[in-house]
Amino acid sequence: MDSLFKKRLGEHWIELIKYLKYVFNDFFVIALMFFIGALGFSYSNLLSELKANIWWEKPVIILVILISVFLGGMATLVKKPDRIFVSPMEAKLKKYFRDSFFYSFFMASIVQLVIWFVLLPFISISMNWKMLELVVVLILMLVLKGIILRRKFNQFYNFRITRFSWEFDVIGSLLILSVAVYFNSYLALFLATIWLAKTVFTKNSQVLNWNRLIESEDKRMSVIYRFFSLFKDVPEVSVKEKRRKWLDPIFKFIPQDHHNFYLNLYVRAFVRNGEMSLLYIRLLVIGFVILMFTDNQITSLIIYLLFIYLVGFQIIPFFNHFKGNIFSKVYPVFDSNQQVSFKKMITYLLFSEMVLLLIAMMLANLPILIVGLALLLGIVEIELLINPFLKNKIKKFNLMGE
């Protein structure tokens, strides 16, 4: 059983690498570079204007650290068949779960270290702290993360209904971080150490709660798979259609006739398909926020054009949404009608995105000349995406279908 976790960890990383090659494609890497560059530039400007003891600085520090310690869960790598095939060997699984805990803590510690490194100048300027106190904050972050993971570990051996467990972790971490920021960091570390000791020495049952184990790992992996599904079809992700009755007024603007058959289908599917509609909203929100805080004219234009392209690139494969639905072929509607309908929908989505991104550029106080240039370039880019690019993609889809 000692080698079981190592074997599964190897298989887990092979699977992740298989999807990561699609995530870190050329377009995403370029977008990531511009995102990090714009974020770094804005952050450096903020630091240059930052002064000590401003009222909002301490709440920001607490909030960022609080969010960071809840990033990353307990990776048990448990599978559903384990309930039957591995459960008879529960007594030998202690080493397995000990390894899973240390692996989860190691991966989480990397995240904590990166966030602490980014926060270093902000905390140093706003709190006037020396290096020793900053190191204490890092240790405090690691201790809090260890507490959260250990409490999750304890729940795997607990059959009682633990209501408000997550809320208790949040409130406890919030109180300790408030003590560190507003009173004394050493006192906060001392309190966190006591909490950790109590969590570690909590007496657990000797019987595993397999339902909770499997549910926890399924939730963790579903988050990872949903991220991968933004870049590639993932068989493990099942898309749930939602009624969203409150959006029904949108459909009243679409004529209910023979010529708009596919337009009705595409709009309804897009609105009710959680994967695609949420992807559009996420990219739109991210682009809006980045542009709103980017005051460099050239950088803003590049990010603006890049996000229009990214949204168009991600939506185009939605053309094949009804490919496996034989009932859509029953109606006497030509394929050209399907292409025209999809073109109408994607045109509306891209122009809506363009307008919102232009509003973000205006909120960033960019010159009206740059906003006008962005409008012109956006129209040209959407025209190129919808006509030659979309037409070539549809041809490829049709050839693949044959």
Side-chain angles (χ1 to χ4, degrees), residues 143-155:
V143 171
L144 287 175
K145 187 61 193 180
I147 292 168
I148 292 164
L149 288 176
R150 182 66 194 195
R151 280 174 56 79
K152 188 72 175 177
F153 176 85
N154 291 346
Q155 288 178 15

Side-chain angles (χ1 to χ4, degrees), residues 6-69:
K6 293 178 182 178
K7 180 183 176 182
R8 288 198 173 172
L9 187 59
E11 294 171 351
H12 177 66
W13 273 102
I14 289 171
E15 184 184 18
L16 292 183
I17 291 169
K18 180 181 72 174
Y19 287 115
L20 284 172
K21 68 181 181 181
Y22 296 103
V23 173
F24 290 101
N25 56 58
D26 295 340
F27 303 110
F28 183 73
V29 170
I30 293 170
L32 194 63
M33 287 172 60
F34 279 107
F35 175 74
I36 294 173
L39 202 62
F41 183 75
S42 301
Y43 188 50
S44 64
N45 288 341
L46 173 67
L47 292 175
S48 63
E49 299 175 2
L50 198 64
K51 296 179 181 178
N53 299 320
I54 302 177
W55 70 269
W56 56 267
E57 293 171 341
K58 292 180 179 179
V60 166
I61 293 169
I62 293 171
L63 182 63
V64 171
I65 296 177
L66 184 65
I67 293 172
S68 74
V69 297

Side-chain angles (χ1 to χ4, degrees), residues 126-167:
S126 59
M127 302 284 294
N128 288 319
W129 279 2
K130 304 302 179 185
M131 194 61 199
L132 182 59
E133 291 173 306
L134 294 171
V135 172
V136 170
V137 170
L138 174 61
I139 298 171
L140 178 62
M141 292 169 67
L142 295 174
V143 171
L144 287 175
K145 187 61 193 180
I147 292 168
I148 292 164
L149 288 176
R150 182 66 194 195
R151 280 174 56 79
K152 188 72 175 177
F153 176 85
N154 291 346
Q155 288 178 15
F156 296 150
Y157 287 90
N158 189 356
F159 284 85
R160 291 180 301 174
I161 299 174
T162 53
R163 293 186 64 190
F164 309 117
S165 177
W166 185 82
E167 291 85 348

Side-chain angles (χ1 to χ4, degrees), residues 247-272 322 337 340-342 344-346 348-349:
L247 288 174
D248 281 355
I250 294 175
F251 307 134
K252 294 179 181 178
F253 295 98
I254 306 173
Q256 308 292 313
D257 56 26
H258 175 81
H259 297 291
N260 292 281
F261 167 72
Y262 267 109
L263 182 60
N264 276 277
L265 283 182
Y266 274 123
V267 173
R268 289 175 186 272
F270 184 86
V271 168
R272 293 170 180 173
F322 300 105
N337 182 274
V340 170
S341 297
F342 185 75
K344 283 182 181 178
M345 186 190 75
I346 197 172
Y348 176 79
L349 291 172

Side-chain angles (χ1 to χ4, degrees), residues 23 35 75 85 94 101 139 142-143 155 184 231 274 303 325 328 349 358 388:
V23 173
F35 175 74
F85 297 104
K94 289 184 178 179
F101 173 81
I139 298 171
L142 295 174
V143 171
Q155 288 178 15
N184 188 286
F231 304 89
I303 293 172
N325 190 337
S328 63
L349 291 172
L358 288 172

Side-chain angles (χ1 to χ4, degrees), residues 226-252:
R226 287 193 179 280
F227 173 73
F228 289 152
S229 68
L230 300 178
F231 304 89
K232 189 184 185 302
D233 291 335
V234 179
E236 291 82 0
V237 175
S238 57
V239 179
K240 293 182 180 179
E241 304 288 339
K242 291 187 178 180
R243 176 74 172 83
R244 295 190 174 92
K245 190 175 180 180
W246 57 279
L247 288 174
D248 281 355
I250 294 175
F251 307 134
K252 294 179 181 178

Side-chain angles (χ1 to χ4, degrees), residues 114-131:
V114 171
I115 293 173
W116 173 78
F117 185 77
V118 172
L119 274 178
L120 265 179
F122 187 91
I123 299 175
S124 180
I125 295 171
S126 59
M127 302 284 294
N128 288 319
W129 279 2
K130 304 302 179 185
M131 194 61 199

